Amino acid sequence: MAGFLIKRFLQAIFVVLCVTLLVAYAIRLTGDPALMLSQGAGSVTEDDLARIRTGLGLDRPFYVQYLEFLGGLFTLDFGRSFLGGTPVNQLIGRALPATLALALASLVVSIVISIPLGIASATRQGRWPGQVIRVLSLVGLSFPNFWLAIMLVLVFSISLQWLPPSGMEGWQSFLMPALTMGIILTATNVRLVRTAMLETLKQQYVTVARAKGLSERVVLYKHALRNCAIPLITYLGIQFGGLLGGIVVVERVFNWPGLGTLAFQAVADRDYPVLQGVIVVLSMLIVLVNLIVDIAYGLVDPRIRTE
């Protein structure tokens, strides 16, 4: 296990370095932060722009700026925002809990809905309940997340006035964003659980468990579900990583104060330090989630732990 963890750690370092290099180079192709900062200041000369670039450290070669950024990573110092000079650590520290909370809530919603529906679809294959679940999962896959988010706002916030339309104030504000992402994830997870369960139910140990007189609920949820959990764990890990990086649209619709909103604003403002810091944190979290998934394999399937 120690060798495995060291190997994964070295891979994580390589991934983070590649991601930071690509992001640091790509964001500098989006425009000049000096022009953004000088907007609204009236007539600005080239000398004024040069002084702004010097103050921000943008007059130095790219490799010098990048190496300075890497040096700050060892102390988790991502520098200061170009707008206002606020430390990037503080901005990320305020936004990260909101994104993690929303991603976890969305994943929980998906798991709670998809596992029972997937098992029901597999055990009722060929009957109308199974067909209805399959059709609903296909419908869910066709929904763009921004459209579903807007529809939920129109129904529950504007028409019924049951839930707040935006912001993060109380548990009620979690319902619509988590439900939006949860429904999209559920549409895929139901089909994944159904396929894995259909294959597992054909195994001999399931027949033996039923022959022992165990209840159908114990057979399905204790024996069959655990043995078909490997593909589900894999995909849930991928989904959680995708949620962390791909929740920008939902955060914007609901004005959610998370990393997605922070990164979106940083791109618009050409705020290099903020965007680089957000990308590094997200990449580290995704690598960490993948490591946890790999370890979870061994906990679920002893054969993998032996290997």
Side-chain angles (χ1 to χ4, degrees), residues 151-228:
M151 290 300 103
L152 291 177
V153 171
L154 289 175
V155 173
F156 293 104
S157 296
I158 297 178
S159 298
L160 300 177
Q161 297 183 355
W162 287 354
L163 298 172
S166 63
M168 183 180 173
E169 298 178 1
W171 61 270
Q172 297 93 338
S173 59
F174 277 86
L175 294 180
M176 287 196 295
L179 191 59
T180 299
M181 298 303 301
I183 290 175
I184 303 298
L185 299 179
T186 297
T188 303
N189 290 341
V190 166
R191 299 173 65 83
L192 182 66
V193 173
R194 177 183 180 276
T195 301
M197 187 61 68
L198 285 174
E199 185 66 27
T200 302
L201 291 177
K202 298 176 183 178
Q203 303 301 316
Q204 186 175 4
Y205 64 83
V206 175
T207 304
V208 172
R210 285 170 171 162
K212 290 181 178 181
L214 298 177
S215 66
E216 189 67 9
R217 183 179 183 85
V218 172
V219 171
L220 292 175
Y221 284 91
K222 183 177 181 181
H223 296 280
L225 181 60
R226 178 170 182 174
N227 285 278
C228 72

Side-chain angles (χ1 to χ4, degrees), residues 106-107 109-111 113-115 117-119 121 133-143 180-197 231-240 243:
S106 303
L107 204 61
V109 169
S110 175
I111 292 173
I113 298 175
S114 61
I115 289 180
L117 289 182
I119 293 176
S121 179
I133 294 173
R134 290 186 64 188
V135 171
L136 290 177
S137 66
L138 287 173
V139 172
L141 285 172
S142 65
F143 283 157
T180 299
M181 298 303 301
I183 290 175
I184 303 298
L185 299 179
T186 297
T188 303
N189 290 341
V190 166
R191 299 173 65 83
L192 182 66
V193 173
R194 177 183 180 276
T195 301
M197 187 61 68
L232 183 59
I233 290 175
T234 302
Y235 198 72
L236 287 176
I238 295 173
Q239 281 185 333
F240 189 73
L243 278 172

Side-chain angles (χ1 to χ4, degrees), residues 2-304:
F4 170 77
L5 293 177
I6 292 174
K7 180 181 178 181
R8 287 298 192 208
F9 180 72
L10 294 177
Q11 290 176 348
I13 293 177
F14 178 75
V15 169
V16 171
L17 288 176
C18 291
V19 169
T20 55
L21 179 60
L22 289 174
V23 171
Y25 180 76
I27 191 176
R28 282 162 173 79
L29 301 177
T30 62
D32 188 355
L35 293 175
M36 296 291 298
L37 293 175
S38 62
Q39 288 182 357
S43 178
V44 179
T45 65
E46 281 297 327
D47 291 337
D48 296 330
L49 294 176
R51 281 193 293 270
I52 295 175
R53 296 188 188 102
T54 301
L56 298 176
L58 299 177
D59 58 329
R60 298 171 298 170
F62 168 73
Y63 72 91
V64 175
Q65 299 179 48
Y66 180 67
L67 291 176
E68 182 182 8
F69 175 74
L70 288 183
L73 288 183
F74 291 101
T75 58
L76 294 180
D77 180 11
F78 300 114
R80 292 179 176 272
S81 170
F82 287 166
L83 302 177
T86 305
V88 177
N89 290 349
Q90 293 183 13
L91 297 174
I92 294 177
R94 290 197 293 261
L96 180 59
T99 293
L100 289 177
L102 181 55
L104 285 172
S106 303
L107 204 61
V108 169
V109 169
S110 175
I111 292 173
V112 170
I113 298 175
S114 61
I115 289 180
L117 289 182
I119 293 176
S121 179
T123 55
R124 292 167 175 80
Q125 185 183 18
R127 288 182 281 175
W128 71 264
Q131 297 298 330
V132 170
I133 294 173
R134 290 186 64 188
V135 171
L136 290 177
S137 66
L138 287 173
V139 172
L141 285 172
S142 65
F143 283 157
N145 55 7
F146 67 88
W147 179 87
L148 184 58
I150 293 173
M151 290 300 103
L152 291 177
V153 171
L154 289 175
V155 173
F156 293 104
S157 296
I158 297 178
S159 298
L160 300 177
Q161 297 183 355
W162 287 354
L163 298 172
S166 63
M168 183 180 173
E169 298 178 1
W171 61 270
Q172 297 93 338
S173 59
F174 277 86
L175 294 180
M176 287 196 295
L179 191 59
T180 299
M181 298 303 301
I183 290 175
I184 303 298
L185 299 179
T186 297
T188 303
N189 290 341
V190 166
R191 299 173 65 83
L192 182 66
V193 173
R194 177 183 180 276
T195 301
M197 187 61 68
L198 285 174
E199 185 66 27
T200 302
L201 291 177
K202 298 176 183 178
Q203 303 301 316
Q204 186 175 4
Y205 64 83
V206 175
T207 304
V208 172
R210 285 170 171 162
K212 290 181 178 181
L214 298 177
S215 66
E216 189 67 9
R217 183 179 183 85
V218 172
V219 171
L220 292 175
Y221 284 91
K222 183 177 181 181
H223 296 280
L225 181 60
R226 178 170 182 174
N227 285 278
C228 72
I230 294 297
L232 183 59
I233 290 175
T234 302
Y235 198 72
L236 287 176
I238 295 173
Q239 281 185 333
F240 189 73
L243 278 172
L244 292 175
I247 209 168
V248 179
V249 175
V250 174
E251 287 191 353
R252 291 295 293 175
V253 171
F254 292 104
N255 195 27
W256 193 262
L259 288 179
T261 301
L262 183 62
F264 185 91
Q265 192 61 46
V267 172
D269 296 335
R270 314 295 193 272
D271 200 339
Y272 298 169
V274 174
L275 184 59
Q276 289 176 167
V278 170
I279 297 298
V280 168
V281 170
L282 288 176
S283 61
M284 287 180 174
L285 287 174
I286 292 172
V287 170
L288 177 62
V289 169
N290 289 330
L291 176 61
I292 294 174
V293 168
D294 289 337
I295 296 175
Y297 286 165
L299 299 177
V300 173
D301 192 337
R303 295 170 298 179
I304 296 178

